[in-house]
Amino acid sequence: VSADDNRLITECLEGNTASFGELVSRYQDRLFHTVLRLTDNAEDARDVVQEAFLHAYQSLHAFKGDSLFFTWLYRIAVNTAISMKRKQRVVYRMQPTGEDGATVEPPDLSESNRPGHAIEMAEEERKVHDALAKLSAEHRAVLVMKDMEGMKYEEMAEVLGVPVGTIRSRLHRARLEMRDILIQQEKRNI
Amino acid sequence: MLTDQILELLTAFIDGELSQRQRKAVMRLLHRSSEAREMVRQLQENAHKLKQLPRHKVEPSLVEEVLQAIAEQKAQPKPAAQSRVVRRRWLPYLAASLAASLLIGTIGALYWKSMNEKENIAKGDGPAIVKLEKKPEPQATPTRKANPMLARIIEATISDFRKPVPAEQPQVFTASFRDLLKAGEKEDQLARALDPAKKSVQFDITVKDNFVAMDRLKSALSTYKIVVVADPNAVKALSDKKQAKAEYWVYVENLTTDELTKMMQELAKNDTTGMKTSVPSPYEKVTVKPITTNDTQKIAGLLGVAPNKMEIPKGNNTKPEPMKGWRKAVLLPLSAGLQPSAQVEQFVSQRTSPQADTLRVLIKIHEVK
């Protein structure tokens, strides 16, 4: 734990909630950035991050300081987002199928659905965003953590609570899946 | 065609997670394979695209909302859970301090009341009648409604965090073949179960028809140049309808993880569970677990070899090359007390002893009851 985080945590435990505000201010953007990529929806991401902070505050005594405070917080938020996404997926699966037997598309919760947003985003960016959205929550999480947050396999294993071998195989499959989706997109555009 | 093993290596290469030796091996591969070069180029390009996605800030800031939620819920950093014995030790102190504070509070209130009355009498007023004016409550700014689902998930996440990260152990799990090979958790479990460091894996397959399933298994093994040497008693039992419900064991050694995965994929091709087809699936479910010590001893007994000859020597956890040429698996007779047949003896005499970093595989087949 960084000395500064440590000081703020001690102050929180002494009842100074303003110090917790400082921790929120320090990490909210980094957390929100990751969670938004996992949930695909700004409102959900905001909810997850807020709840993660609130529960982190209530469980602050459980934080032993043997890992970075951010890793601890990150783990709470990322796993919450993955679980939420999984639950949403189960709901989508229960939706009826169309007459042609094709699965009905889940409601588009992505920010890209916002009017005018597609224009704001560059075409390439939108493609990557859409491809990422098609991946499972687990695959998406490892890609976001590795490529966007630059985390090491070991850190990712700590956050997700799985062995390094699982991270390795999950990333491997996630990258191949992402590549296939992007290739398919290219083919459709030709 | 790049194998799964190579693709995984290439992924770790672009992630910068290879040892120096592995990196050199990948560089050599990239030098000679245009396919590998193209794959690395594509993966690196995609990783770069992800890195380039814009970073979003949370707006408006969550600080106010979080602090307000803490205040509204009167949330406190919960004290760490203590053992019952420790808590009991506190009880007398707690009771004593509560009693003391109650006493002090009562005395204080009486003193304050008497002083107040004295003051009012001195002013010429009667006994004080204090009219408490209700202060207007501060208008609470509306906050986001708490999401109970999120709260439950987070509670579970936090309690999980206190648990140590699980060791890389093979897990016992059951699935259909098709599910087993789908992307996701099951595949992760399979990857862990097939970890060569664990040295052994057992597939306990419940089938609809032993005879048909054994036929499929032989065919899948032969695709990877493995011939099943069958004990005549086991063959006889298999074709005898009265004994059809019995359990059958096929044992094979020196398999690489890749070979086994491909073999399972071959078997999964016949699994039509959940598909719209008139061809029924020969399998019900498969349970994956390590071979137990008891099973190892039983196999050693049936083969007529010492149990220590079944052990795989220590390796350095590198991925071995698959063995060349045809290899043999053995369909074991499970009838107790029988001497190994000529076929089993022949299998033992031609057997290559287990090599480091390979897998011992036991496939149990039994009909659904």
Side-chain angles (χ1 to χ4, degrees):
Chain A
V1 185
S2 83
D4 212 21
D5 279 359
N6 216 5
R7 176 183 59 80
L8 291 171
I9 291 165
T10 312
E11 285 170 10
C12 290
L13 292 173
E14 286 165 356
N16 184 357
T17 42
S19 299
F20 194 71
E22 209 169 311
L23 285 169
V24 175
S25 167
R26 188 171 290 183
Y27 296 122
Q28 60 177 349
D29 285 337
R30 209 171 150 197
L31 223 51
F32 179 76
H33 171 68
T34 299
V35 172
L36 177 63
R37 292 292 171 205
L38 299 180
T39 57
D40 244 354
N41 176 301
E43 197 65 13
D44 281 351
R46 212 179 150 82
D47 273 353
V48 168
V49 174
Q50 187 184 336
E51 290 285 329
F53 274 122
L54 189 59
H55 282 76
Y57 178 76
Q58 289 173 310
S59 306
L60 215 49
H61 267 283
F63 176 64
K64 301 280 183 240
D66 41 12
S67 62
L68 288 175
F69 174 70
F70 179 71
T71 309
W72 185 66
L73 195 63
Y74 195 79
R75 180 171 178 174
I76 295 170
V78 166
N79 284 312
T80 305
I82 291 174
S83 301
M84 193 176 88
K85 207 66 198 161
R86 261 196 225 131
K87 278 175 204 278
Q88 284 178 346
R89 204 167 50 177
V90 171
V91 175
Y92 297 155
R93 274 185 193 159
M94 287 162 73
Q95 303 279 328
T97 52
E99 278 178 16
D100 57 351
T103 310
V104 172
E105 284 290 313
D108 189 357
L109 299 175
S110 69
E111 215 198 345
S112 59
N113 207 28
R114 181 163 59 79
H117 189 80
I119 306 161
E120 292 163 26
M121 284 177 92
E123 181 63 13
E124 190 62 37
E125 190 185 306
R126 191 187 58 77
K127 279 184 200 166
V128 179
H129 173 87
D130 289 351
L132 196 62
K134 283 187 179 135
L135 300 181
S136 69
E138 289 80 3
H139 284 180
R140 206 190 292 199
V142 287
L143 282 179
V144 169
M145 280 193 266
K146 184 73 208 169
D147 291 341
M148 298 171 90
E149 289 296 321
M151 292 168 84
K152 290 275 185 202
Y153 282 3
E154 270 187 21
E155 289 173 291
M156 293 160 71
E158 192 186 355
V159 166
L160 295 174
V162 295
V164 172
T166 305
I167 296 293
R168 193 183 294 271
S169 61
R170 220 177 255 186
L171 247 171
H172 155 65
R173 282 193 309 275
R175 287 205 185 288
L176 292 185
E177 206 183 330
M178 180 87 180
R179 170 181 164 269
D180 289 348
I181 294 169
L182 287 170
I183 289 173
Q184 289 299 322
Q185 279 182 354
E186 284 297 319
K187 277 184 188 166
R188 271 202 299 271
N189 289 343
I190 292 169
Chain B
M1 174 92 182
L2 301 170
T3 65
D4 243 25
Q5 192 181 346
I6 288 176
L7 286 171
E8 200 174 316
L9 212 60
L10 295 180
T11 308
F13 173 74
I14 68 158
D15 288 338
E17 297 269 357
L18 290 181
S19 66
Q20 204 171 355
R21 218 182 82 201
Q22 286 172 317
R23 208 165 50 246
K24 276 183 186 168
V26 170
M27 295 303 282
R28 280 197 297 275
L29 172 73
L30 292 176
H31 188 70
R32 65 173 191 266
S33 163
S34 59
E35 197 186 356
R37 280 197 300 274
E38 177 58 17
M39 177 60 77
V40 166
R41 189 193 64 75
Q42 285 179 356
L43 294 180
Q44 271 172 336
E45 195 179 291
N46 293 344
H48 182 71
K49 283 176 186 170
L50 275 173
K51 244 174 249 168
Q52 295 305 307
L53 284 178
R55 295 189 76 89
H56 294 275
K57 283 188 170 181
V58 58
E59 273 169 336
S61 164
L62 279 172
V63 177
E64 284 302 313
E65 271 182 53
V66 172
L67 293 185
Q68 197 171 345
I70 289 173
E72 276 178 6
Q73 295 180 23
K74 292 182 177 136
Q76 293 287 330
K78 286 176 197 161
Q82 288 168 331
S83 74
R84 191 167 282 188
V85 179
V86 174
R87 234 182 286 148
R88 275 183 190 155
R89 220 184 284 158
W90 280 95
L91 265 177
Y93 298 107
L94 185 70
S97 60
L98 271 176
S101 46
L102 203 68
L103 193 67
I104 291 166
T106 313
I107 292 169
L110 285 173
Y111 177 73
W112 177 79
K113 200 180 164 195
S114 66
M115 290 301 287
N116 213 12
E117 274 175 8
K118 268 184 203 165
E119 202 177 305
N120 288 336
I121 290 164
K123 279 182 189 166
D125 296 27
I129 299 169
V130 182
K131 193 179 175 189
L132 288 173
E133 269 184 35
K134 200 178 176 190
K135 280 186 185 170
E137 279 179 15
Q139 199 68 39
T141 34
T143 48
R144 191 180 305 275
K145 261 191 169 180
N147 182 335
M149 182 185 85
L150 277 184
R152 276 198 305 278
I153 294 171
I154 293 181
E155 270 305 322
T157 309
I158 290 174
S159 62
D160 272 356
F161 194 82
R162 292 171 202 141
K163 291 176 192 162
V165 172
E168 295 204 31
Q169 289 173 346
Q171 290 182 353
V172 176
F173 62 99
T174 301
S176 74
F177 264 109
R178 197 154 285 280
D179 279 347
L180 195 67
L181 298 166
K182 271 185 200 160
E185 283 304 312
K186 291 271 164 39
E187 203 180 341
D188 284 339
Q189 288 173 318
L190 180 65
R192 249 177 289 162
L194 301 187
D195 185 344
K198 306 298 177 293
K199 297 180 172 55
S200 80
V201 62
Q202 175 183 154
F203 294 90
D204 193 335
I205 311 172
T206 311
V207 299
K208 295 195 175 105
D209 183 312
N210 270 337
F211 192 84
V212 174
M214 187 61 76
D215 193 48
R216 299 275 156 81
L217 176 62
K218 281 183 187 170
S219 152
L221 289 172
S222 70
T223 311
Y224 295 95
K225 290 191 167 181
I226 296 171
V227 63
V228 179
V229 174
D231 176 86
N233 286 313
V235 176
K236 200 175 150 197
L238 204 56
S239 42
D240 181 358
K241 281 194 174 170
K242 283 178 193 166
Q243 295 186 55
K245 298 271 179 199
E247 187 174 85
Y248 297 90
W249 288 16
V250 173
Y251 178 67
V252 58
E253 292 167 325
N254 293 320
L255 281 187
T256 64
T257 309
D258 274 359
E259 282 178 310
L260 187 56
T261 310
K262 282 176 188 159
M263 229 173 273
M264 300 320 285
Q265 280 164 347
E266 195 70 29
L267 284 173
K269 281 182 191 168
N270 302 123
D271 189 359
T272 50
T273 312
M275 292 169 75
K276 282 180 188 172
T277 169
S278 55
V279 185
S281 172
Y283 319 116
E284 280 287 318
K285 61 181 180 188
V286 54
T287 299
V288 186
K289 52 190 170 185
I291 302 179
T292 63
T293 314
N294 276 351
D295 282 345
T296 300
Q297 284 171 351
K298 192 167 177 180
I299 297 166
L302 291 166
L303 291 175
V305 298
N308 63 354
K309 298 278 178 198
M310 311 288 293
E311 286 168 13
I312 293 177
K314 271 195 178 171
N316 47 6
N317 289 342
T318 52
K319 291 198 173 179
E321 285 295 312
M323 289 177 75
K324 285 177 186 154
W326 280 85
R327 274 176 291 164
K328 287 176 180 173
V330 61
L331 169 59
L332 294 159
L334 289 177
S335 332
L338 283 175
Q339 286 295 312
S341 62
Q343 284 79 358
V344 171
E345 277 179 353
Q346 191 196 16
F347 168 81
V348 174
S349 65
Q350 292 174 356
R351 171 179 174 247
T352 309
S353 54
Q355 305 295 301
D357 299 318
T358 61
L359 288 165
R360 299 191 302 124
V361 181
L362 174 63
I363 303 165
K364 290 181 181 175
I365 287 178
H366 50 89
E367 273 185 26
V368 61
K369 282 176 186 153

